[in-house]
Amino acid sequence: DDARVAGDYERARALDLAALERAPRHPEIARRIAEIDAHVGGRAEAALATLRDASATMLGLLAGKLLVEAGDTTGAIVALLREGERETSNPIAAFAHDEAARLTADPDEALRSLDRAVARAPRVPELRWTRAQKRLAAGRLADARADFQELEALAQGARERHAVLRKAGDVYRASGLGADAALHYERALLYRPDDADAIAGLGAAIAAEGRAARGAALLQHAIEIAMRKHAPVAWMELELAKVLGDRLEDRPDAIARLRAIPDDAHEAIEARGLEGRYRVAIGDLAGAALAFARLRERAGRERSAVPWLLEAARFEESRSDLAAAQRHLATATAIAPDDVMLAEKLKSLGERIAREAGVRLPSVAVAEPIPIPAANEPAPAVFDEADAEQRVETLTRGLQADPSNDAIIDELVGLLTRLGRSMDLLALLSARLEDAPPERREELLPKHREVLALLEREARDAGREGEADLFKMAREAS
């Protein structure tokens, strides 16, 4: 214990191991060793084996998490439910049942686990919030309402009651229940009449119920209050834009609102997608193409971008810009490589591009691709992957702020190449090629073809011939 508190985990583990030799299969000692392996040493498999060897009935919360990491979700659920039943500590038992509910695909079984969790720890608010949301999703409105009432009863003082009521409004609004959301926002405003988030939530809720003009006015008022307090307004701007564009059909004003949302905001992906959609609706096709291009640059690895990228690809196909459509689909595929439908769409589009370009597809094997050298910066003697990954994240954020910064792009090309992240490298080069000046395009095109050849070779080596043909056609059409 002294070594553990001092942060000397290797010494603590060695002493625990010595103790385990004196008391083989002792579950508490095994748990301590497993915790060090799982949380400090990154040795999840070893930790799980230690727990299993100690006692099959003592797996507990830690083993549940380790089993999930190992891909054994069913085993994790069984371990967690067993822990919830045998654990004497009510909070620990409750969290075991809660974790089992999160892993369970069956909504009814998940609710039963949450019922057991709340029964063991009825005064833990997080459990009731989770159950209320699950009940709403299952259409059990009266049961969800009972949870919200209990949460309000547990709240101490005006500040806590206000927070509960506003959060309940958020949950109802996210579930599409505007009338219930409005009721809770109004009650929250009794405690804090100047709460910009509650006012904005109320505006969005009543707009969804058909009172669009009043909802827009409340959202505008909330934005003004928040801006005076220097509070974030991106989500409010997004909600106001949707009311203006979808309900009041004032799409130019909606576009102006969406343009005000910065690219680094969480709401930026939806904002760029909606901007593209509204520009198409008013006939501004060039502006729509630009909005969708900004969406693709902002997408990163976020799956919420995939539906918007599909819409962007359909738009570009409709105006016969197949190269732009291909870039959108390639980015979407990089985000969701396991999506068969996306891969098929990308392959089909690549074949269409090749046909329209009159490219003959030779049957000979592709020559060995030339490795892409790291740019600008000489490689260190020892390549630290963790440092490189961190540097990639930093550079990516910088690129989102300045998509045309070629110095950042060159460094990213080198790092992604050395890390073996070929799909990310392809998405980076494709995005820059779209807007690069002629001389820069000439510089990047060989690298773009090289990474396509590398991806083709990797796909063929893995036996994915259809995917390999797709990369081959894209290379020959570039």
Side-chain angles (χ1 to χ4, degrees):
D1 288 342
D2 289 343
R4 202 176 263 97
V5 170
D8 189 350
Y9 297 110
E10 288 303 319
R11 175 171 167 74
R13 188 184 189 282
L15 291 167
D16 284 333
L17 196 59
L20 191 64
E21 290 174 359
R22 303 283 293 273
R25 299 171 66 84
H26 191 294
E28 179 59 24
I29 301 173
R31 182 185 63 79
R32 291 174 173 225
I33 295 172
E35 283 180 344
I36 290 176
D37 284 342
H39 300 308
V40 181
R43 301 181 287 262
E45 292 296 338
L48 187 56
T50 300
L51 290 174
R52 280 175 169 155
D53 185 59
S55 173
T57 62
M58 289 287 288
L59 293 179
L61 287 169
L62 175 60
K65 294 178 181 178
L66 294 173
L67 284 163
V68 171
E69 290 183 24
D72 185 3
T73 304
T74 302
I77 293 171
V78 170
L80 290 165
L81 291 176
R82 182 187 296 126
E83 177 73 3
E85 294 300 326
R86 59 159 293 279
E87 177 57 57
T88 56
S89 166
N90 283 329
I92 294 176
F95 287 123
H97 285 302
D98 177 53
E99 189 63 27
R102 293 177 193 277
L103 296 175
T104 302
D106 183 339
D108 292 331
E109 185 57 42
L111 277 170
R112 282 192 287 272
S113 292
L114 286 169
D115 288 341
R116 290 190 286 267
V118 173
R120 293 294 297 266
R123 299 186 66 82
V124 176
E126 291 81 2
L127 299 174
R128 287 193 180 272
W129 282 115
T130 303
R131 189 172 70 171
Q133 293 176 62
K134 289 281 188 184
R135 283 174 162 178
L136 282 181
R140 293 168 53 178
L141 304 188
D143 290 339
R145 190 172 294 115
D147 271 330
F148 290 131
Q149 290 170 351
E150 185 63 31
L151 283 162
E152 187 179 352
L154 289 171
Q156 301 292 318
R159 182 188 296 272
E160 286 189 17
R161 282 194 293 275
H162 163 265
V164 167
L165 289 165
R166 193 180 80 184
K167 185 173 179 180
D170 292 341
V171 173
Y172 273 118
R173 182 165 62 86
S175 300
L177 299 169
D180 290 292
L183 176 65
H184 284 78
Y185 285 130
E186 287 169 348
R187 293 186 60 209
L189 288 168
L190 289 173
Y191 295 101
R192 274 190 58 193
D194 63 340
D195 179 11
D197 287 294
I199 295 170
L202 177 60
I206 65 174
E209 292 297 299
R211 297 162 58 193
R214 177 59 180 158
L218 284 171
L219 281 160
Q220 177 61 50
H221 179 50
I223 290 169
E224 292 167 358
I225 293 174
M227 291 182 71
R228 286 199 297 269
K229 297 178 179 179
H230 305 288
V233 297
W235 81 268
M236 302 179 194
E237 293 279 13
L238 179 61
E239 290 297 328
L240 179 54
K242 288 193 282 191
V243 174
L244 292 169
D246 295 335
R247 300 187 180 276
L248 298 176
E249 297 189 357
D250 184 358
R251 294 190 177 95
D253 197 6
I255 289 168
R257 294 287 178 180
L258 295 167
R259 292 277 294 173
I261 297 174
D263 283 336
D264 60 354
H266 172 73
E267 298 78 8
I269 288 176
E270 188 175 1
R272 300 291 88 82
L274 278 174
E275 181 189 346
R277 180 184 294 175
Y278 292 157
R279 287 188 183 277
V280 171
I282 64 175
D284 180 10
L285 302 187
L290 259 170
F292 284 134
R294 289 179 67 196
L295 159 71
R296 191 184 65 250
E297 291 166 359
R298 170 61 177 80
R301 307 292 294 181
E302 295 187 39
R303 283 191 172 255
S304 62
V306 171
W308 292 111
L309 289 165
L310 280 170
E311 183 170 334
R314 288 194 295 270
F315 161 72
E316 296 294 3
E317 276 194 87
S318 72
R319 66 191 202 120
S320 299
D321 191 343
L322 301 186
Q326 186 182 47
R327 285 190 286 271
H328 292 313
L329 285 176
T331 303
T333 304
I335 295 170
D338 54 341
D339 190 318
V340 177
M341 181 270 293
L342 274 178
E344 287 298 322
K345 282 182 176 291
L346 186 56
K347 177 181 178 181
S348 176
L349 183 61
E351 291 171 348
R352 181 180 169 189
I353 290 172
R355 284 196 306 270
E356 295 189 7
V359 175
R360 185 175 65 86
L361 303 179
S363 58
V364 295
V366 179
E368 184 77 20
I370 301 170
I372 305 171
N376 284 355
E377 188 173 318
V382 178
F383 182 68
D384 189 316
E385 287 195 13
D387 287 347
E389 291 284 3
Q390 187 173 0
R391 179 62 176 161
V392 166
E393 292 295 325
T394 302
L395 291 169
T396 301
R397 288 194 294 273
L399 193 62
Q400 290 170 357
D402 183 8
S404 62
N405 190 320
D406 285 329
I408 292 178
I409 290 169
D410 288 341
E411 187 175 353
L412 271 173
V413 166
L415 288 170
L416 292 174
T417 301
R418 299 199 70 190
L419 289 167
R421 290 169 55 176
S422 303
M423 286 301 297
D424 291 336
L425 180 57
L426 175 62
L428 171 70
L429 291 169
S430 298
R432 184 59 183 127
L433 279 169
E434 181 181 13
D435 303 314
E439 62 275 12
R440 183 60 173 162
R441 282 182 60 84
E442 289 301 314
E443 182 181 351
L444 292 179
L445 269 173
K447 296 176 181 177
H448 187 251
R449 296 187 184 108
E450 287 164 9
V451 75
L452 283 168
L454 176 61
L455 286 165
E456 179 193 351
R457 179 183 176 83
E458 290 173 351
R460 290 203 192 282
D461 289 344
R464 302 191 301 271
E465 293 298 325
E467 185 179 330
D469 289 341
L470 171 65
F471 289 127
K472 180 179 181 180
M473 287 185 289
R475 176 172 54 83
E476 293 174 341
S478 65

